[in-house]
Structures are given as C-alpha cells and as structure tokens.
Amino acid sequence: MQEVFKDFSTGGLLKVGNEVLLENYRRPKQAGLYIFIRTTNSKAFINVDGVPYTISEHSLLALTPIQFLHFNEGKHLIVYQFNREFYCIKDHDQEVSCAGLLFFGNAHIPVIDLGEKEQRKYDTLHEVFVDELETEDTIQAEMLRMLMARFMIMSTRLLKAKEGFNKTTGDAKVNLLRSFNLLVEEYYKTEHSVSFYADKLFKSPKTLSNTFSKFNTTPLQIIHERIILEAKRLLIYTDKTAKEIAYDIGFEDASHLSRLFKKQTQQSPSEFKKQVKK
C-alpha cells in the first residue's frame, strides 16, 4: 500500500504507506526525507547511523533526512515520508517544526511507545490521511499539512511526557550536523557565513566541511537551502515583493538573493511566484 502526494508548485512530497516504502533502504543509505515508522502487531529491525535498533510492537520512531537508514525486517508497518518543501515551508511552533524535539532534540533516535488509547488516535488519524490523499482538490495540500501538523503535535506531546526520556550522545558527527541545523534554524535570517556557525560550535569551517562531506552536503549548502526554503514560503504565502523578502532574510541587495534563488531552483523569484499562483 502506498499513497503519494506531490505539490508541483513547491516541490512538496508526502508518501504514506507500509513497509514497501522502506524497501529502498535494504542497503544503508541516507534517509533523504523525514520519516516516521510506526509498528503495529510485530517488531521491526533497523540500523540507524550504523547502530542496530529493535522497534517494539505499537511504537513510533522518527528519523531525519541526514541519518543513514538500513531496513532489515518489519511487517504491518505504517510509514510516513515527507520532504522539507511539504511541511517545513510552513511556519510551525518551534517544538513541532522540522528542527523540533522529534528531529533535532536530545534523543539520538526518538522511539515512542503507544498505549491502546494512543493507538486508536493514530489509527483514526491514519484513516483521515488516506482518505485525504484520495481527495484531489485545490485545498488538498493545505489539509495534508494540517494533518501532518496534528501528527507532529501528538507525537511531540507523547515524547515530552515519556518517562525516562534520557539524552543519548549518539554519533559525534551526526550530533554536530544536528547542532549546525539548529543554529541555522535560529540565525539564518541574519547570518549567512559558515564562519559564524563554526565559531558558535567551537569548530573550524574546515572541520565542518570535512564532517559534513560524509553526509553528502556542505555547511554552506545547508545555509542556502534554508534561505531558499524561507524565500519560497514568503513567495507562496505572502504578497511581499522580492525586495522585501530579500530584506527579511538578511540581504541588503535583492539581486544577491535573486542570484542565489536562481542557482538553487533554476528560476528567478518572480518566475517561481508566477508558477505557484497559476
């Protein structure tokens, strides 16, 4: 079972299905998407960043795009996968954002145990997800994002309330990348240089570049992707001009943002705005 939603105007992608969605990870590879794996009546066995995990029955696990996933075994799973353009382009409370507790919090890999009451809630929400994926209209994208926001809120509440929720150090390189992402989320509107974030992390820019190369990315690429994501959000959801958007994201000269936007998307901001308003 697999349902796919694509928002061609923003590049948003959402996949809802079962363990078939994890077949691409039979060999270890970077997740590339935000992933929720929910077990039902049987366990699942995976490796994350080289560490083996057994996910107990009736549990929920969250993964970030930067983590390396190896799917070993699991049946009757419920899986959600989405990219930044689907969910992160919208403003959300810090705790349930794409840099929130589920993805960049203290836990290396958050696993949430679901009691019978929670199972029923998630089952109901899943039915609504599937029904909405089959309903194609002009507000489908917004409805699906609202459902994902509800999913994230439910999961974050459970994670916060979980007894014995301990900080785990995990892999130092993964933690460094997460810390960098958190800082970018906080400062991307005012700070665009790698050296600023390197200083905050007490690392050299070269150390960051060498570490991030293991994840097929660079510090500057992460900064630029976050800037462009915000520019897209403002182009789609506000009537601000390109000049106003550039100023909001910390560019004194709108042409600088325009060049970066075109380099990243092959479109100018005005071309992108025309496309999504069609």
Side-chain angles (χ1 to χ4, degrees):
M1 175 266 191
Q2 178 176 328
E3 297 283 351
V4 179
F5 167 80
K6 292 182 180 180
D7 187 341
F8 293 102
S9 64
T10 65
L13 174 67
L14 169 68
K15 298 181 180 181
V16 178
N18 55 21
E19 57 273 11
V20 174
L21 288 175
L22 301 178
E23 286 298 318
N24 288 334
Y25 302 98
R26 285 294 184 179
R27 291 187 177 183
K29 60 181 289 190
Q30 204 165 14
L33 298 166
Y34 293 91
I35 300 176
F36 286 106
I37 301 174
R38 180 187 162 200
T39 56
T40 54
N41 56 5
S42 61
K43 297 179 179 179
F45 302 88
I46 63 174
N47 285 58
V48 180
D49 299 325
V51 179
Y53 289 90
T54 299
I55 312 172
S56 300
E57 298 92 336
H58 305 296
S59 297
L60 178 68
L61 170 146
L63 297 172
T64 74
I66 66 174
Q67 291 174 301
F68 281 79
L69 171 63
H70 181 196
F71 175 58
N72 297 308
E73 184 181 347
K75 295 182 179 180
H76 311 299
L77 304 179
I78 298 174
V79 179
Y80 300 84
Q81 299 175 335
F82 62 91
N83 63 3
R84 290 183 66 87
E85 285 74 16
F86 169 74
Y87 181 79
C88 313
I89 202 168
K90 290 282 282 183
D91 277 332
H92 296 285
D93 182 87
Q94 187 175 356
E95 288 190 345
V96 296
S97 72
C98 289
L101 185 63
L102 288 168
F103 298 118
F104 292 103
N106 291 330
H108 174 57
I109 174 169
V111 180
I112 304 167
D113 300 323
L114 304 178
E116 291 185 8
K117 182 179 179 180
E118 286 76 26
Q119 291 171 41
R120 290 194 295 270
K121 288 183 178 179
Y122 278 93
D123 284 343
T124 299
L125 185 58
H126 182 69
E127 290 177 7
V128 180
F129 256 118
V130 174
D131 181 65
E132 191 59 40
L133 281 161
E134 295 173 350
T135 305
E136 297 184 11
D137 57 23
T138 57
I139 58 174
Q140 183 187 31
E142 190 64 24
M143 178 62 82
L144 289 171
R145 290 190 182 96
M146 288 172 60
L147 292 173
M148 181 53 68
R150 180 172 177 80
F151 185 100
M152 298 270 278
I153 291 169
M154 287 169 55
S155 303
T156 299
R157 284 174 174 169
L158 290 174
L159 185 57
K160 289 177 69 176
K162 181 181 178 183
E163 293 182 6
F165 180 62
N166 297 318
K167 180 176 180 178
T168 55
T169 57
D171 182 81
K173 293 179 180 178
V174 174
N175 285 337
L176 179 60
L177 186 55
R178 288 181 183 156
S179 297
F180 184 86
N181 272 276
L182 278 173
L183 284 174
V184 170
E185 193 67 27
E186 183 176 357
Y187 293 106
Y188 73 92
K189 289 186 178 181
T190 57
E191 302 293 342
H192 301 163
S193 69
V194 174
S195 61
F196 170 84
Y197 298 97
D199 289 343
K200 283 282 187 180
L201 294 167
F202 303 103
K203 304 288 184 182
S204 70
K206 185 176 181 180
T207 296
L208 293 182
S209 294
N210 290 340
T211 300
F212 293 3
S213 67
K214 306 294 191 303
F215 301 95
N216 301 314
T217 190
T218 68
L220 191 60
Q221 182 179 341
I222 293 172
I223 296 168
H224 285 173
E225 286 177 350
R226 185 61 186 91
I227 290 170
I228 297 305
L229 186 66
E230 184 67 8
K232 284 183 175 180
R233 185 187 71 80
L234 294 173
L235 287 166
I236 294 169
Y237 295 106
T238 75
D239 293 323
K240 291 185 176 182
T241 65
K243 186 175 182 179
E244 290 172 327
I245 291 171
Y247 180 78
D248 285 349
I249 311 177
F251 290 87
E252 293 183 3
D253 189 336
S255 65
H256 293 167
L257 175 60
S258 183
R259 284 196 293 271
L260 177 61
F261 194 96
K262 192 161 188 176
K263 182 179 179 181
Q264 295 285 324
T265 68
Q266 286 72 55
Q267 291 179 301
S268 68
S270 59
E271 290 170 340
F272 176 83
K273 192 176 185 73
K274 287 179 182 178
Q275 177 186 318
V276 299
K277 295 296 183 181
K278 287 181 180 179

